[in-house]
Structures are given as structure tokens and as C-alpha cells.
């Protein structure tokens, strides 16, 4: 075999059409072997003799895509000093573009012997671990272009590749649960009709099934256990893991882009799947443990701000290079449109405290590629001072956990919630205005993958995680949920009507709030996980979206009521029964499917109401006074009591205040359009009654004479099919307990 010197960059395995360049970093290793793996179980070892700046490299002519390989690092095994090199362990390439196989959790993949962690383990791990794969970088993108949807026009949809597609009735069996399924017209059509502009995918970086979960007959379904930051997860490929997963992922991105849908990845750069000092030796640990991980004073142990056993060392130039190279790769080579950073506070821990001026943020902000895509932070971790909502720097948007908590509290009837609810509804200026950010820095959500689904939020007071095998100890205990009087499924029609109305209240509030709304997969149908609020290990029908029959066909033109034949229209009460888990009792199956489709239609109309009206997606914060040059003297936003009087300090702070009306002035939008033109819209009056009893609301006299009901969470069909009631200034409207009404006044 010919071995040429090759180049130190790019790191990883780079195929150029004639051969492959291999390059890997390790400061700790004294010698590194590249091992080419053969299908008969044998391997060919090539020592990487060339070294520049601790990067070993070589070029091998004739090595083609599909070739499996790994590294063996010779060097010190001194855990007390932070070194864990062991040439018996076949190591994955940190820069591998694809990975093949699975880990069988034999003792050989560990650096020590079970029950004797102080004794070095020299068993060969190659037969029991995964392999890196050389991939072909060439792909016909055609005329693919990033949609570049502006934040104020963005509607996020958080989904899991397998969970979203596994049970769709229109997908062929061989495509379900794969990247190819995301490209199927049935999935894309559903997202497009729903009004989604960006698909936020839960982790698709190559991850590992935890040893503990495998032994328990469970799996790491969510995927927050990354081992390959450049490789698409191989189990989501429908036709092979020797590089086919890369082509399949690219094909899905191309198809979604053609439909105008962006692809955002949930990425986990805060830790790796190698876990604590008792974890396996798979890649980083064996190559250069001290360069990749935050170590404690006693260097055989790890500092952990993620709850997973380790944290990456974010002040290491090699870790920072790895992260930035990975981000650029997914943008430039895989054409993704942005990232949601899991436990992003850990990325800001250059030393111990969370620091918004850390090197990571500096690198992102100056990078000409990464700084131009959507950057979304999960602004917390489990370390000291880890809750950082509102504290990330400009360019960043954040999952607004305070929005989630406040909206949940309002609708379940918590006291002293109104003032904060007003702030969250108006874009959370208290969190984002002082550092120059806009309302669009707030990613608003009521539910996400972590916690109750929307249906469970209104059906359970307590978590029910018994299936996870931890005696219900895992998962958040304080969910801000309310079961509407009965724990779990019920046939009581009054409870079912209330639950259906509560789900519509949450979804309508989300779409009427300033900021960027995010839906969680299946909430548009009201899916249930039977009270499990931590389904990370449930790769089964509990977590997979159960699609209603004809789900992708129901609904068409968002403004005309097309698709109503798929739903039983019944005026005031036809949708009120949409409440209980399809597989957990309740009404008969046909009725439940009708209820699911009814909720889907309501969600579609709310999304399109927001997309059609710029007054709900302001790019600047409200001023609270009339806009200069406006043709009326009304403020851009105004707050009223149910009686129609302007809210005063006492009204906001009253313990029992649970109702208000909000005026949004479509004639007082301060930001211009893309060509500098003024933006004008209809005006809206939002009426919120979070009391458990009905409440009379008065339409204020001076806001306009004629209004029309366009949203009524108690009577969704009557309000959204174009036949909403006409309302005049001064009219008194009776809102049932826990309901929301929206009035529209033409510009």
C-alpha cells in the first residue's frame, strides 16, 4: 500500500476522487495508527508518521468511499494525570463524516475491567464498536437555495426523524423512521399546509445507545448522546450506513428546501457519549482526554454541568475548532439553515461561570458562515448559575422558558400571573430589549420534546414515567399542568370539552404572541404520551406520532376553509370533545379521529392568521404610544380590563386578576417593509378569560365601531369559517370560563 505524506487539514477523512487524506489531532499520543477495516474482520494498520501541530496525517491513494476505518492511539494511560491512551481500543474519528455499525457494550470497549476500575483493560474493542467511514462528498444539489426565512415570518416545528414518520399511514414501510421519510410528499405536504417554515430536528448527529438503557431493554430515543459531530445518525438511513446516510440526509434537505421549509438541527456540543470516568473509550477519551474534556482537580474525574458525566472543554482551541468546523460543515456541505444548541449555557463556560463574552461566542460572531444562519440557544444547563434566559448575546435567539411557564400558569389559574403574562405576550422586552435584541429573540413555546405533550398538559397533574424503569423518579416534578379535574383519560363530556378548550387556548396564545412560535410534533393532533414527561428512552408507539387518518389531506387553502369535508362541522360544540389519547380509552375511535382533525384544522387556521397579519409578528418592541404620522391617535398597544377600562397598576397586581383585553393597532406598526414602505394591517382586540367562571367583557368605545369575531376557543368552527359574529363598540360579550376571543377590525 502506498502511503503519501498528505495534509494536516482538513481533519478527518477527505476523499478527492483518487484517494483519501486522513488527519487526526492528538497532543497526548506518542504514536497513532490508522486502521483500515475489512469485511472479514481483519484490519490493515498504517502508522501516521507525519505530524504538524500535533496533527498526524497521511494520504492513501486508492482508498475509496465506503472504506471503514478507525485509529489506535499509543501513549500514556495515566488516569490520575488525565491521560487515557490505550492502543487496544479502536477509536472513532472525531471528524468522521459517517459511522457504521453499533456498539455491543462488551467489556472490551471500556478502558478498565468491570468491577475493577483501577485495572487497565487491554481487550481489543474493534469487534465490538462502531467504525468511521470514508464518504463521497459529491452530491447534485441542483438549484438548491436556502429559504432564508426571516425570523418574523418563521414558524418552528420541533420533530424527531423517527417519531414524526414512523406511523404515517401514507409512507412505505421501508421509509418509515428515516431521512427519506422527511422528503416524502406526505410529510412535506402536512408541514406546508400547517404553515411551518422551519423543521427543527432533534439530534441527528451520530449518537450512541447507552449501555444502561440497552441492558434495561430501552434505548436513547431522543439522541442527546453524540459521538460524531459530522456524521448523520446511521440508524435513520433507509438503505445503508457506508455513507448512504449522508446522501439520504442531503436529499431530505433538498426536498424540504424546495417546499420553502428550512432545516434546523438540535446539536449537542456540550458533552459526548463517553460519559464519566466509568464510561467507554470510543473516541475523544482515547485520543486526547485532557484536551477534549473538563477535568476536575483530581484529573481522573470529570467536571459535569450537563448531567451526563462529562462536559467538553470549551476553552480548548481544539474543541473550539471541532465545534466551528462541525457547524460550518453542516451549513456548507449539508445545507442546513441553523442550529438549536442543547444546554447552551455549558458552551459559555470558558472557565467555571457562564460568560456571554466567552471564546465560543466570539468565534461564532466573527465567522462569516455560522453567524449568518439561525442560532437558537437552550439557555440553561444543570451547573451552578446555569439558568440564563435573556442573557445570551446579540445574534442569538433563545428558547424562552419564562414564556412557557407564564402561559401555563395563566391558563391553569395561578394567581399574580397577569403582569408577567402581558410581558411575555408582547415579546418579553424585559429579557431582550436592553442588549439591543428584538422580540424575535424569543422563541415562544408551550410544549417541547422535554415534558408533557399538549394533551397531557391538560390531562395530568402528575408525571407517570413508570415505563422508564426508574420508579417514576425521573422527569420534572413541577410541570405547571392541570388535569381539568380528572387524572388521565376520561369519558366525562364536560372534562373533555374543557381540555379541548384549554389546548386551543394554549395554541391560540402561542400564535398571537410576539416572537417566534414553536410547535411540538403531534400537538396539532393532540397526541398523548400517557402522562410520561420524560420519554427519552421510549422508542416505541408511546413517543411516535399517531397520525389521524387523512391527516395530510384535511385542510387546504388556509383562508377559505378548504378541506372541511374531512371534519364534522358542528357549529358551537362540534370540536369540544378533542381531548383524550387515542390509545387510552375515551370516545370511540371514529369520534376521536374527528376530534384530532378538528384540532388540526384549528391549529392551521391560527398559524395562517399569524402569517397573514404583521401585527402579530412585529420586528420591534411596542412603544406604548401612538406612532408619529399615524392616521389615528391610538397607541400601538393598549391594555384593558374586562369592563373596557384601561389597565392600571392595581389591575395588574391584583391577586385574583385573570382576565384582560389587549388592543393591537395595525395602523401603528413602526417598522417599514423590505423596500422601506409603511406596513399597515387590520387591528385586533384579544380577550383572555383565564377565570374558571364566565366573564363579561365590554368592547372599548374608542377603538373602532365595527368588529368581527375571528377566533373563539369555545366555538372554534363558528369563529374561523368566515362567519364570525359581528360586534360593535360598547357591546358586552360573555366569555365562558377559560376561553379566548379575538376580534378583528379592518384597516
Amino acid at each position: 500500500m502506498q502511503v503519501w505524506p498528505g495534509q494536516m487539514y482538513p481533519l478527518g477523512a477527505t476523499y478527492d476522487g483518487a484517494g483519501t487524506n486522513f488527519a487526526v489531532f492528538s497532543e497526548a499520543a506518542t504514536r497513532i495508527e490508522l486502521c483500515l477495516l475489512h469485511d472479514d474482520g481483519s484490519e490493515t494498520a498504517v502508522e501516521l508518521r507525519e505530524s504538524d501541530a500535533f496533527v498526524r496525517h497521511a494520504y492513501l491513494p486508492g482508498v475509496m468511499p465506503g472504506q471503514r476505518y478507525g485509529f489506535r492511539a499509543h501513549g500514556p494511560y495515566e488516569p490520575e494525570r488525565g491521560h487515557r491512551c490505550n492502543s487496544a481500543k479502536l477509536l472513532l474519528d472525531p471528524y468522521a463524516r459517517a459511522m457504521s455499525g453499533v456498539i455491543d457494550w462488551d467489556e472490551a470497549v471500556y478502558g478498565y475491567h468491570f468491577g475493577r476500575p483501577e485495572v487497565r483493560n487491554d481487550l481489543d474493542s474493534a469487534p465490538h464498536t462502531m467504525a468511521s467511514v470514508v464518504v463521497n462528498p459529491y452530491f447534485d444539489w441542483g438549484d438548491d437555495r436556502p429559504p432564508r426565512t426571516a425570523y418574523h415570518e418563521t414558524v418552528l416545528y420541533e420533530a424527531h426523524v423517527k417519531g414524526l414518520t414512523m406511523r404515517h399511514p401514507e409512507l412505505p414501510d421501508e421509509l418509515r423512521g428515516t431521512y427519506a421519510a422527511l422528503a416524502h410528499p406526505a410529510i412535506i405536504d402536512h408541514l406546508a399546509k400547517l404553515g411551518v417554515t422551519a423543521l427543527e430536528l432533534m439530534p441527528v448527529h451520530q449518537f450512541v445507545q447507552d449501555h444502561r438503557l440497552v441492558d434495561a431493554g430501552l434505548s436513547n430515543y431522543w439522541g442527546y448522546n453524540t459521538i460524531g459531530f459530522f456524521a448523520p445518525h446511521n440508524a435513520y438511513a433507509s438503505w445503508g450506513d457506508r455513507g448512504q446516510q449522508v446522501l439520504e440526509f442531503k436529499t431530505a434537505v433538498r426536498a424540504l428546501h424546495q417546499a420553502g421549509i428550512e432545516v434546523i438541527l438540535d446539536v449537542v456540543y456540550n458533552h459526548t457519549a463517553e460519559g464519566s470516568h466509568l464510561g467507554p473509550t470510543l473516541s475523544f477519551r482515547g485520543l486526547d482526554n485532557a484536551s477534549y474534556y473538563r477535568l476536575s482537580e483530581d484529573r481522573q474525574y470529570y467536571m459535569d454541568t450537563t448531567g451526563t458525566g462529562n462536559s467538553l472543554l470549551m476553552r480548548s482551541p481544539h474543541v473550539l475548532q471541532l465545534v466551528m468546523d462541525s457547524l460550518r460543515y453542516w451549513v456548507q456541505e449539508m445545507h442546513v439553515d441553523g442550529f438549536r444548541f442543547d444546554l447552551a449555557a455549558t458552551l459559555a463556560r470558558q472557565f467555571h461561570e457562564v460568560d456571554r463574552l466567552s471564546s465560543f461566542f466570539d468565534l461564532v460572531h466573527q465567522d462569516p458562515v455560522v453567524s449568518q444562519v439561525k442560532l437558537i440557544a437552550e439557555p440553561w444547563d444543570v451547573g451552578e448559575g446555569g439558568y440564563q434566559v435573556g442573557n445570551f448575546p446579540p445574534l442569538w435567539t433563545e428558547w424562552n422558558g419564562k414564556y412557557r411557564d407564564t402561559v401555563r400558569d395563566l391558563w391553569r389559574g395561578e394567581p399574580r400571573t397577569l403582569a408577567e403574562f402581558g410581558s411575555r405576550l408582547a415579546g418579553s422586552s424585559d429579557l431582550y430589549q436592553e442588549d439591543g435584541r428584538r422580540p424575535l429573540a424569543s422563541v415562544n413555546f408551550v410544549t417541547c420534546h422535554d415534558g408533557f405533550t399538549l394533551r397531557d398538559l391538560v390531562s395530568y397533574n402528575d408525571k407517570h414515567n413508570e415505563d422508564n424503569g426508574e420508579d417514576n423518579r425521573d422527569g420534572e416534578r413541577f410541570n405547571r399542568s392541570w388535569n381539568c379535574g380528572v387524572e388521565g383519560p376520561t369519558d366525562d363530556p364536560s372534562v373533555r370539552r374543557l381540555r379541548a378548550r384549554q389546548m386551543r387556548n394554549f395554541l391560540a396564545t402561542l400564535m398571537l404572541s410576539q416572537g417566534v412560535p414553536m410547535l411540538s410534533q403531534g400537538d396539532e393532533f393532540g397526541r398523548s404520551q400517557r402522562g410520561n414527561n420524560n420519554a427519552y428512552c421510549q422508542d416505541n408507539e408511546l413517543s411516535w406520532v399517531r397520525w389521524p387518518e387523512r391527516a395530510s389531506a384535511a385542510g387546504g387553502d388556509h383562508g377559505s376553509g378548504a378541506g372541511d369535508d374531512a371534519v364534522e362541522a358542528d357549529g358551537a360544540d362540534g370540536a369540544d370533545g378533542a381531548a383524550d389519547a387515542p390509545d387510552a380509552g375515551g370516545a370511540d375511535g371514529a369520534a376521536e379521529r374527528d376530534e384530532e382533525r378538528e384540532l388540526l384544522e384549528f391549529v392551521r387556521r391560527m398559524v395562517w392568521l399569524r402569517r397573514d397579519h404583521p401585527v402579530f409578528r412585529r420586528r420591534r418592541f411596542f412603544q406604548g404610544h401612538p406612532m408619529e404620522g399615524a392616521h389615528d391617535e391610538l397607541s400601538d398597544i393598549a391594555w384593558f380590563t374586562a369592563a373596557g377600562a384601561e389597565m392600571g397598576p392595581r389591575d395588574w397586581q391584583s391577586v385574583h386578576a385573570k382576565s384582560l383585553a389587549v388592543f393591537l393597532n395595525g395602523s401603528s406598526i413602526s417598522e417599514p417593509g423590505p423596500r422601506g414602505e409603511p406596513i399597515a394591517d387590520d387591528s385586533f382586540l384579544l380577550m383572555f378569560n383565564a377565570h374558571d367562571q364566565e366573564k363579561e367583557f365590554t368592547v372599548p368605545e374608542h377603538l373602532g365601531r365595527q368588529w368581527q369575531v375571528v377566533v373563539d376557543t369555545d366555538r372554534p368552527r363558528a369563529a374561523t369559517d368566515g362567519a364570525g359574529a359581528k360586534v360593535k363598540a360598547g357591546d358586552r360579550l360573555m366569555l365562558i370560563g377559560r376561553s379566548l376571543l379575538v376580534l378583528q377590525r379592518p384597516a
Side-chain angles (χ1 to χ4, degrees):
M1 177 179 292
Q2 288 186 307
V3 180
W4 300 351
Q7 303 294 325
M8 65 177 291
Y9 193 85
L11 291 164
T14 306
Y15 173 69
D16 63 5
T20 302
N21 189 81
F22 294 89
V24 61
F25 161 79
S26 175
E27 188 172 351
T30 57
R31 186 163 64 94
I32 291 183
E33 292 177 299
L34 165 68
C35 299
L36 302 180
L37 308 176
H38 309 301
D39 291 342
D40 62 2
S42 64
E43 62 182 60
T44 299
V46 177
E47 183 174 350
L48 302 180
R49 298 182 180 277
E50 297 292 328
S51 177
D52 294 286
F54 301 110
V55 174
R56 271 79 165 190
H57 52 87
Y59 180 91
L60 274 61
V63 171
M64 297 286 110
Q67 173 66 59
R68 295 181 305 129
Y69 70 97
F71 297 114
R72 295 188 185 274
H74 300 258
Y77 182 83
E78 301 169 343
E80 68 281 0
R81 298 180 59 191
H83 300 309
R84 294 180 180 268
C85 296
N86 185 339
S87 61
K89 310 307 170 187
L90 184 75
L91 304 176
L92 292 163
D93 182 356
Y95 277 72
R97 270 52 170 181
M99 294 180 180
S100 175
V102 296
I103 298 168
D104 66 12
W105 296 117
D106 186 87
E107 187 177 27
V109 301
Y110 290 84
Y112 62 93
H113 287 281
F114 292 164
R116 295 178 293 163
E118 73 285 355
V119 179
R120 171 173 165 154
N121 179 340
D122 288 325
L123 296 172
D124 185 6
S125 70
H128 307 285
T129 191
M130 303 168 68
S132 306
V133 179
V134 177
V135 304
N136 188 340
Y138 304 106
F139 180 77
D140 183 8
W141 282 103
D143 59 355
D144 182 69
R145 295 290 185 275
R148 296 196 180 279
T149 306
Y151 265 121
H152 70 283
E153 296 175 340
T154 295
V155 177
L156 294 165
Y157 186 90
E158 186 197 31
H160 186 282
V161 171
K162 188 173 185 179
L164 180 65
T165 64
M166 195 65 185
R167 302 181 71 185
H168 198 293
E170 298 177 37
L171 295 180
D173 289 345
E174 65 272 15
L175 295 188
R176 295 184 182 192
T178 70
Y179 302 121
L182 296 178
H184 193 279
I187 298 296
I188 291 178
D189 187 56
H190 172 73
L191 297 175
K193 287 179 177 176
L194 190 59
V196 167
T197 69
L199 183 62
E200 183 177 305
L201 292 174
M202 291 174 65
V204 299
H205 286 176
Q206 182 68 54
F207 61 88
V208 168
Q209 297 296 334
D210 308 58
H211 192 169
R212 176 185 67 84
L213 292 177
V214 171
D215 284 351
L218 300 169
S219 66
N220 191 321
Y221 167 66
W222 283 354
Y224 293 93
N225 204 31
T226 304
I227 196 62
F229 295 107
F230 295 78
H233 186 59
N234 57 17
Y236 297 154
S238 64
W239 54 291
D241 69 354
R242 297 286 186 94
Q244 294 94 333
Q245 60 264 55
V246 178
L247 299 177
E248 194 169 318
F249 181 87
K250 290 179 176 179
T251 301
V253 172
R254 184 177 61 191
L256 288 159
H257 281 181
Q258 287 172 351
I261 298 172
E262 294 183 309
V263 178
I264 294 174
L265 302 188
D266 192 338
V267 290
V268 190
Y269 292 111
N270 51 74
H271 74 280
T272 79
E274 290 184 304
S276 71
H277 64 289
L278 296 178
T281 299
L282 305 176
S283 178
F284 310 91
R285 173 172 285 145
L287 283 168
D288 196 331
N289 186 58
S291 289
Y292 281 111
Y293 294 117
R294 292 176 64 92
L295 304 181
S296 300
E297 279 190 40
D298 184 343
R299 295 177 68 78
Q300 65 181 311
Y301 301 113
Y302 297 82
M303 293 186 65
D304 177 18
T305 58
T306 65
T308 62
N310 67 55
S311 301
L312 283 171
L313 182 61
M314 293 307 296
R315 66 173 179 269
S316 164
H318 306 292
V319 171
L320 291 170
Q321 180 186 3
L322 172 82
V323 173
M324 296 306 298
D325 284 349
S326 170
L327 292 170
R328 279 191 296 268
Y329 174 78
W330 285 95
V331 174
Q332 294 178 310
E333 298 297 326
M334 307 295 264
H335 286 208
V336 304
D337 305 283
F339 306 94
R340 178 264 189 190
F341 292 81
D342 176 65
L343 300 181
T346 291
L347 304 178
R349 293 183 185 273
Q350 185 166 331
F351 294 96
H352 175 71
E353 296 179 350
V354 177
D355 183 1
R356 61 181 289 168
L357 301 178
S358 71
S359 298
F360 172 69
F361 293 127
D362 290 343
L363 289 172
V364 168
H365 286 193
Q366 62 80 41
D367 190 276
V369 174
V370 180
S371 65
Q372 299 306 302
V373 301
K374 287 183 169 67
L375 303 170
I376 304 170
E378 182 186 35
W380 50 78
D381 65 15
V382 300
E384 182 181 356
Y387 192 76
Q388 294 290 320
V389 173
N391 291 331
F392 275 69
L395 280 189
W396 288 77
T397 60
E398 301 175 13
W399 271 26
N400 190 343
K402 292 186 177 182
Y403 177 94
R404 171 201 59 203
D405 296 345
T406 303
V407 171
R408 288 185 178 192
D409 279 348
L410 177 86
W411 285 115
R412 72 190 180 106
E414 285 297 290
R416 299 188 187 280
T417 305
L418 211 56
E420 185 167 2
F421 174 75
S423 178
R424 303 295 157 247
L425 183 76
S428 297
S429 60
D430 58 322
L431 299 178
Y432 304 114
Q433 190 168 27
E434 288 188 2
D435 60 9
R437 288 190 284 174
R438 302 287 177 88
L440 305 167
S442 177
V443 173
N444 300 329
F445 66 105
V446 177
T447 61
C448 63
H449 70 274
D450 189 0
F452 281 146
T453 66
L454 182 64
R455 185 185 297 276
D456 290 353
L457 186 66
V458 301
S459 303
Y460 295 91
N461 284 347
D462 303 304
K463 60 187 174 72
H464 297 269
N465 299 353
E466 291 80 6
D467 289 343
N468 294 356
E470 299 182 45
D471 297 322
N472 205 32
R473 293 189 303 269
D474 63 304
E476 175 61 55
R477 295 187 180 276
F478 184 45
N479 294 281
R480 292 182 161 88
S481 62
W482 179 49
N483 65 14
C484 299
V486 178
E487 187 75 356
T490 180
D491 289 327
D492 186 324
S494 63
V495 174
R496 293 170 67 85
R497 284 194 295 270
L498 176 56
R499 288 178 177 177
R501 193 163 64 248
Q502 283 285 72
M503 286 193 288
R504 293 192 291 267
N505 289 335
F506 283 124
L507 292 164
T509 302
L510 180 64
M511 292 303 154
L512 297 171
S513 299
Q514 304 297 323
V516 180
M518 185 183 78
L519 293 165
S520 182
Q521 67 174 21
D523 275 352
E524 69 270 30
F525 312 130
R527 77 178 183 97
S528 173
Q529 292 178 168
R530 299 198 295 272
N532 192 319
N533 74 349
N534 190 35
Y536 76 101
C537 57
Q538 298 295 328
D539 188 3
N540 51 52
E541 293 188 355
L542 181 73
S543 295
W544 303 338
V545 173
R546 177 189 183 275
W547 291 76
E549 292 180 13
R550 299 180 64 202
S552 62
D557 181 352
H558 66 273
S560 67
D564 292 349
D565 60 323
V567 181
E568 282 293 323
D570 191 19
D573 300 317
D576 284 341
D580 289 308
D583 298 327
D588 63 65
E592 286 175 340
R593 288 191 290 273
D594 285 344
E595 293 163 358
E596 291 167 341
R597 288 193 290 268
E598 186 73 38
L599 181 60
L600 171 60
E601 187 65 18
F602 179 80
V603 177
R604 282 174 171 158
R605 291 171 188 256
M606 286 306 310
V607 172
W608 283 102
L609 179 69
R610 179 187 184 277
R611 290 191 64 176
D612 286 344
H613 291 284
V615 75
F616 297 124
R617 40 188 178 83
R618 297 280 303 261
R619 304 197 311 275
R620 298 176 182 171
F621 287 109
F622 291 107
Q623 301 299 309
H625 56 71
M627 187 179 74
E628 185 177 349
H631 72 263
D632 63 36
E633 296 183 359
L634 299 175
S635 176
D636 57 357
I637 189 171
W639 310 84
F640 298 92
T641 66
E646 291 206 32
M647 294 278 288
R650 280 189 171 184
D651 300 311
W652 286 112
Q653 299 304 325
S654 172
V655 174
H656 303 294
K658 297 177 184 177
S659 63
L660 81 159
V662 186
F663 171 66
L664 302 179
N665 189 350
S667 301
S668 191
I669 299 176
S670 59
E671 58 266 27
R675 293 176 175 82
E677 73 279 12
I679 297 176
D681 193 11
D682 296 344
S683 295
F684 291 84
L685 187 64
L686 321 179
M687 296 178 172
F688 299 87
N689 180 22
H691 287 276
D692 59 359
Q693 301 296 320
E694 65 181 12
K695 185 90 173 174
E696 184 180 79
F697 280 71
T698 300
V699 180
E701 296 275 1
H702 65 290
L703 300 181
R705 288 185 297 176
Q706 199 75 24
W707 299 82
Q708 181 176 2
V709 176
V710 292
V711 177
D712 184 346
T713 59
D714 182 44
R715 299 167 53 90
R717 292 290 304 166
T720 57
D721 63 5
K726 301 295 190 294
V727 176
K728 299 190 300 295
D731 280 357
R732 297 180 179 182
L733 309 176
M734 191 64 71
L735 270 66
I736 191 173
R738 292 192 169 90
S739 68
L740 186 161
L741 196 71
V742 178
L743 308 182
Q744 181 176 0
R745 190 200 72 192

